[in-house]
Amino acid sequence: MAELLYRLGRASARRARTVIVLWLALLVAAGGAFFLFSGELEDGFSIPGTATDQVNQRLKTEFDGMGGGAGTIIHQTDDGEPFTDEQKEAIGERVDLATEVDGVEAVVDPFATEDERAEQAELLREGREQIDDARAEIEAGQEELDENRAQAEAAGMLDQMEEALDGGQDEIDQGLESLESEEEKLEQGEALMEMADGIGTISEDGNAAMVMVSFTDAQEEVAQETRDAVISVFESEPVDGVTVEFADDIAMELPSLVSKAEIIGVVVAGVVLVVMLGTLIGAGLPILTALVGVGIATLITMSLSGVLAIADITPILGLMLGLAVGIDYALFIVNRHRRQLKQGMELQESVGLANGTAGNAVVFAGATVLIALLGLNLTGIGFLGLMGSVGAIAIAIAVIVAVTLIPALLGLVGPRILSKGERARLGTASANGQAPEKHSHIKPMSNVRAIGRAAVAVIVLGVIALPVLDLRQGLPDGSSQSVDSTQYRAYTAIEENFGEGRNGPLLVTADLPGGPTDDEAEVNAEQYQYEVADAIHALEDVEAVAPIGVSDDRTLAIFQVEPRQGPSSESTEDLVHTLRDMEPIHGEAPLGVAGMASGNIDISEQIAGALPTYLTVVVGLSLVILLLVFRSIFVPVVATLGFILSYFAALGGVVAVYQWGWLGGLLGMENPGPVLSFLPTIMVGILFGLAMDYMLFIGTGMREAYVHGAPARLAVVQGFRAGRSVVTAAAIIMISVFGGFIFSEMMMISSVGFGLAFGVLLDAFLVRMLLIPAVMHLAGDAAWWLPKWLERVLPDVDVEGSALERAHLHQDEPTETIEPETGVTSGRG
């Protein structure tokens, strides 16, 4: 591989303009594919086969128009007074218009619904009055009959009148029995009305109203055109004196691919590159090539959205990775090339050798990240596997750009990759390309210092990781949106006017026994509806419950349940599980639960369940890769344990900030909540790959020094000093790019940026540059022990191209003349 990359690097440098044109053509082609084939991004997540999905599929079968998505629109009067008749009428007109939008199943007029509730309440009151009157009549009739019986007995005529009196008593008893039956139904109706109190569509003070929209397609399949059309109906001609807001189940706010914070992150990366490389050209090349790679990867991803269900965060993830990794990988090659030029190496030979050594390490590191990301498909969760695949595309393109476009640009800029002062000193380098060795005295660290460093690293990481013990995973809702967004305003308006639970209502299904005949099944259904509703309402975490309907065969009933707390609360999560365990009707199946809150809970739990397996796979992969690279038992184990420490510490930081709310004011986060459900899994794949990168550049220097005869503990210091500058620069660049996303208005993107930036910070500086050198020092020669039988079996993986370097370093090269400013070469290549 190293030799192939060497030749590729030289060829790219010789044919620089051709390579550049090819990459520009690829960029244009990717742009064309985007304009021709791109579709809509998904603003939600779904996993087929979850308990929620099963309920939705059954509802589609049993009920016409059920099982589709839903949207919530809330109106509020500006003056806080109840809606006027004119405002009610205007909102009703817009409801009628929204009903005609293609893709809309139904739109509920809140005022008409409230009128129906008022009519039902009035009917119940009238029914109560009628029953009270009927009972009074029956009681009066009973008194009259009893008086007649007493008079007949006193007159000795009881035998003659007994038949008539008994007939009258039978009539009264039948009337009383019928009355009691009617009263029981009335009491059940009154109880159901009381249970449903709180699921109204108009607030108590009459100044807020909720419009409920039902779509024909499932929530994640509702076309954005349909959503926009509904929003336009209510927004295009606002009702005078009324403010309208749209909840996150209908309003979709696509994240911006480019923001000020991200630009600042790239600028910081540029400053780091200037400091390290010393020239604007040297700093500009990694950023330029990273942008080309990211542009192609992002356009390819977006073009696939026409045929694949791609979540809105997926392109952002690819952008994060492609930008950060693209800059880092280019830096490794540029830095190696600059070092060789300063040692007096000829231009094209230096480009080829840098590509065969540092480029070989880049390919290996990139392959590691790529494999880890593709491994997300092993979770069996479609959207998560797609995220990993998109990230893998960004990594693959970044690697190919690094080993082709970077050599081409290096060949084009020639010696200008060095500063003027560095070019002036070129003649003092040794003829064979080796820099004069420095004879500074290097000593290994002391055992006490090594123990202290290791202890500090472990204790700090352990303390930061403690919040993981309180980890709760979930998906974002309106409360996690930007405080300036309509979704957040709608969420808070619903919470303030209708209660927390109205932001995450549950749809509960109950199987009913039916009956031998349709009439009996209908009578039974009414009774069973009441029994189920009563059992649900008795739960502590239920605020209200209301029957919605019964299937045609009277074997399935639907209820709307309002939890006491919001959709992302722990109590709502517990309520979902409690409901699914309930069997209110003996002998029937447990209750089913659906709704957005329920769906998010199911998805989060399935992702959380897949995390241990994926983490195990990644840890096993880490051990194998490091065993091949370092040919040691100790190094892979320690390096992998270090990764596990940094991973859980990074996750602990995420919990503290995004779940507990630490630094929430700084990030503009009003309502902390559960950690993004797929973030812990995504972090495993990405941080693992980056940790292996840093371990590679720190550890291979140690191994090379040890193999060349340096004592084990001295080799630790030599290797660390050889790799620390490039690892420091690479880590700062990664942190800057990832960190730019922390201030995104979407908490989902912000948490991903924070988790990755914090993870890189901990792994690079606490694990790779503090913990690893310390434990390697304490292990001494044992760090490089490998059983002889295993040494014979393992292939020799020359990651940094040492063999290539030895082969070409002393090889006589044809003399070429390099023009100092143009970089144009002459002579045989």
Side-chain angles (χ1 to χ4, degrees):
M1 176 62 77
E3 183 66 32
L4 176 63
L5 291 172
Y6 167 79
R7 295 175 182 175
L8 180 63
R10 285 181 64 95
S12 298
R14 286 197 301 269
R15 297 174 177 82
R17 289 178 175 82
T18 302
V19 173
I20 293 171
V21 169
L22 286 174
W23 276 108
L24 290 177
L26 284 174
L27 184 59
V28 171
F34 165 73
F35 286 109
L36 290 174
F37 306 114
S38 64
E40 294 181 355
L41 297 175
E42 302 285 334
D43 66 337
F45 307 93
S46 64
I47 301 177
T50 61
T52 297
D53 182 62
Q54 291 173 8
V55 172
N56 285 333
Q57 296 304 321
R58 187 177 181 191
L59 290 175
K60 286 182 181 179
T61 304
E62 298 283 349
F63 296 88
D64 291 335
M66 289 290 291
T72 307
I73 304 168
I74 182 165
H75 295 79
Q76 296 182 96
T77 58
D78 295 339
D79 57 7
E81 296 297 320
F83 291 96
T84 64
D85 292 338
E86 292 78 11
Q87 290 171 336
K88 292 179 181 180
E89 184 179 353
I91 293 173
E93 291 173 356
R94 285 152 180 77
V95 167
D96 294 337
L97 289 174
T99 306
E100 299 173 1
V101 173
D102 187 31
V104 172
E105 180 69 29
V107 183
V108 178
D109 185 335
F111 304 105
T113 302
E114 212 52 35
D115 289 342
E116 291 176 4
R117 285 171 56 86
E119 289 176 7
Q120 291 175 358
E122 181 62 28
L123 288 174
L124 288 173
R125 283 193 294 272
E126 291 176 358
R128 173 57 65 186
E129 290 177 0
Q130 292 172 1
I131 285 177
D132 290 343
D133 291 344
R135 183 176 291 280
E137 290 179 8
I138 290 174
E139 290 175 352
Q142 184 68 56
E143 288 179 4
E144 184 178 353
L145 182 63
D146 291 343
E147 189 175 322
N148 290 338
R149 183 181 293 278
Q151 290 175 356
E153 186 175 1
M157 299 178 63
L158 184 60
D159 291 339
Q160 291 88 336
M161 300 182 63
E162 187 169 12
E163 184 176 350
L165 292 170
D166 289 344
Q169 186 64 53
D170 290 342
E171 186 178 343
I172 290 175
D173 291 343
Q174 289 175 7
L176 185 60
E177 184 179 351
S178 176
L179 181 65
E180 289 175 349
S181 176
E182 292 298 323
E183 187 172 24
E184 183 180 358
K185 291 181 180 179
L186 179 66
E187 289 174 350
Q188 289 182 358
E190 291 172 335
L192 288 172
M193 180 67 73
E194 186 179 350
M195 293 177 194
D197 187 33
I199 307 186
T201 53
I202 307 295
S203 63
E204 289 185 6
D205 50 13
N207 65 353
M210 290 175 63
V211 175
M212 308 304 298
V213 182
S214 299
F215 298 104
T216 54
D217 294 328
Q219 191 74 39
E220 67 276 3
E221 296 173 0
V222 178
Q224 188 58 35
E225 293 177 359
T226 302
R227 300 171 191 256
D228 291 341
V230 173
I231 291 173
S232 177
V233 168
F234 291 92
E235 259 191 346
S236 57
E237 296 183 16
V239 178
D240 290 339
V242 176
T243 300
V244 60
E245 303 293 354
F246 304 90
D248 63 339
D249 52 9
I250 190 171
M252 177 181 178
E253 189 173 325
L254 285 176
S256 174
L257 288 174
V258 180
S259 69
K260 294 180 181 179
E262 292 146 32
I263 294 174
I264 292 173
V266 174
V267 170
V268 173
V271 171
V272 174
L273 289 169
V274 170
V275 171
M276 182 172 184
L277 301 178
T279 65
L280 291 176
I281 291 178
L285 290 186
I287 294 177
L288 174 64
T289 55
L291 291 175
V292 170
V294 161
I296 294 173
T298 303
L299 290 171
I300 290 175
T301 300
M302 298 295 286
S303 66
L304 293 174
S305 62
V307 294
L308 297 175
I310 298 178
D312 52 10
I313 193 177
T314 303
I316 300 291
L317 183 64
L319 181 79
M320 283 187 194
L321 286 174
L323 197 57
V325 169
I327 294 175
D328 270 9
Y329 287 172
L331 167 64
F332 296 148
I333 296 174
V334 171
N335 185 58
R336 179 64 182 247
H337 172 61
R338 279 173 38 81
R339 193 176 73 201
Q340 291 170 169
L341 284 183
K342 287 189 288 186
Q343 293 171 348
M345 190 174 291
E346 178 269 330
L347 177 65
Q348 288 189 10
E349 176 66 12
S350 177
V351 172
L353 194 57
N355 214 44
T357 52
N360 193 49
V362 163
V363 170
F364 185 85
T368 302
V369 183
L370 188 145
I371 292 170
L373 288 173
L374 290 177
L376 286 169
N377 289 281
L378 298 176
T379 61
I381 299 170
F383 75 84
L384 199 56
L386 191 57
M387 283 185 186
S389 299
V390 167
I393 290 173
I395 296 296
I397 292 176
V399 170
I400 299 172
V401 165
V403 298
T404 56
L405 186 55
I406 281 292
L409 293 174
L410 290 176
L412 197 64
V413 303
R416 285 175 296 173
I417 196 68
L418 302 177
S419 65
K420 290 183 179 180
E422 289 170 334
R423 292 200 297 272
R425 293 192 294 271
L426 278 178
T428 63
S430 57
N432 64 356
Q434 294 277 11
E437 290 201 11
K438 297 179 181 179
H439 298 286
S440 59
H441 188 61
I442 300 176
K443 290 183 179 181
M445 71 180 84
S446 66
N447 291 342
V448 173
R449 187 180 178 190
I451 293 172
R453 291 177 60 170
V456 167
V458 171
I459 291 172
V460 170
L461 290 169
V463 170
I464 297 175
L466 286 176
V468 170
L469 299 175
D470 191 38
L471 172 66
R472 285 184 59 241
Q473 294 171 246
L475 289 173
D477 53 35
S479 65
S480 62
Q481 299 288 349
S482 166
V483 293
D484 298 325
S485 67
T486 185
Q487 298 99 314
Y488 180 82
R489 291 194 296 267
Y491 185 96
T492 54
I494 293 171
E495 183 179 39
E496 291 169 0
N497 291 283
F498 297 94
E500 292 181 65
R502 287 304 296 276
N503 279 299
L506 303 175
L507 197 62
V508 177
T509 61
D511 287 282
L512 307 181
T517 65
D518 291 343
D519 291 339
E520 291 182 14
E522 185 172 358
V523 172
N524 292 340
E526 293 180 4
Q527 178 62 30
Y528 289 131
Q529 267 190 308
Y530 169 75
E531 291 178 7
V532 173
D534 188 53
I536 293 174
H537 190 260
L539 297 176
E540 182 180 356
D541 293 323
V542 171
E543 180 68 27
V545 58
I548 296 177
V550 181
S551 61
D552 293 337
D553 60 1
R554 305 296 189 267
T555 60
L556 184 67
I558 317 172
F559 303 83
Q560 179 178 336
V561 176
E562 180 184 333
R564 289 196 182 277
Q565 295 187 344
S568 61
S569 67
E570 196 167 354
S571 67
T572 300
E573 183 178 343
D574 293 338
L575 176 60
V576 169
H577 295 300
T578 300
L579 289 170
R580 286 177 175 160
D581 291 335
M582 287 179 63
E583 294 184 21
I585 303 175
H586 183 68
E588 296 297 324
L591 300 178
V593 185
M596 284 194 66
S598 168
N600 289 348
I601 290 169
D602 288 344
I603 292 171
S604 300
E605 289 180 350
Q606 190 156 338
I607 294 174
L611 178 58
T613 301
Y614 181 58
L615 183 58
T616 301
V617 170
V618 167
V619 167
L621 181 64
S622 171
L623 292 171
V624 171
I625 290 173
L626 294 175
L627 179 65
L628 290 174
V629 173
F630 294 107
R631 306 180 73 80
S632 158
I633 298 295
F634 181 82
V635 175
V637 172
V638 170
T640 302
L641 290 176
F643 158 69
I644 293 173
L645 270 176
S646 62
Y647 167 73
F648 281 108
L651 197 54
V654 171
V655 172
V657 172
Y658 291 90
Q659 183 176 317
W660 292 356
W662 294 6
L663 305 179
L666 181 64
L667 300 179
M669 181 172 56
E670 296 294 329
N671 295 309
V675 171
L676 185 63
S677 58
F678 55 81
L679 179 56
T681 308
I682 288 287
M683 284 173 59
V684 170
I686 297 174
L687 292 181
F688 161 72
L690 301 181
M692 295 305 100
D693 288 358
Y694 301 141
M695 187 64 205
L696 188 69
F697 287 99
I698 288 289
T700 51
M702 298 177 183
R703 181 175 184 273
E704 186 176 358
Y706 180 75
V707 169
H708 283 78
R713 290 178 172 173
L714 185 61
V716 170
V717 181
Q718 292 176 345
F720 175 74
R721 292 195 174 190
R724 64 183 175 184
S725 60
V726 69
V727 169
T728 299
I732 293 175
I733 289 170
M734 285 273 187
I735 295 166
S736 302
V737 174
F738 289 147
F741 291 87
I742 294 176
F743 298 97
S744 169
E745 292 184 347
M746 295 184 67
M747 285 300 105
M748 182 165 56
I749 295 173
S750 174
S751 62
V752 172
F754 177 86
L756 296 180
F758 194 50
V760 169
L761 173 70
L762 297 176
D763 193 87
F765 295 105
L766 280 181
V767 175
R768 307 304 150 189
M769 300 180 70
L770 188 66
L771 179 61
I772 293 298
V775 296
M776 291 288 288
H777 169 88
L778 294 173
D781 290 322
W784 305 106
W785 175 81
L786 185 70
K788 293 188 179 297
W789 65 268
L790 186 56
E791 187 173 5
R792 290 192 298 269
V793 173
L794 289 179
D796 188 6
V797 181
D798 185 13
V799 175
E800 287 201 323
S802 300
L804 175 74
E805 188 176 11
R806 289 193 297 270
H808 286 268
L809 201 55
H810 300 290
Q811 182 176 317
D812 293 330
E813 289 288 323
T815 304
E816 295 185 1
T817 305
I818 305 176
E819 299 295 333
E821 296 299 325
T822 65
V824 177
T825 60
S826 59
R828 288 190 302 119

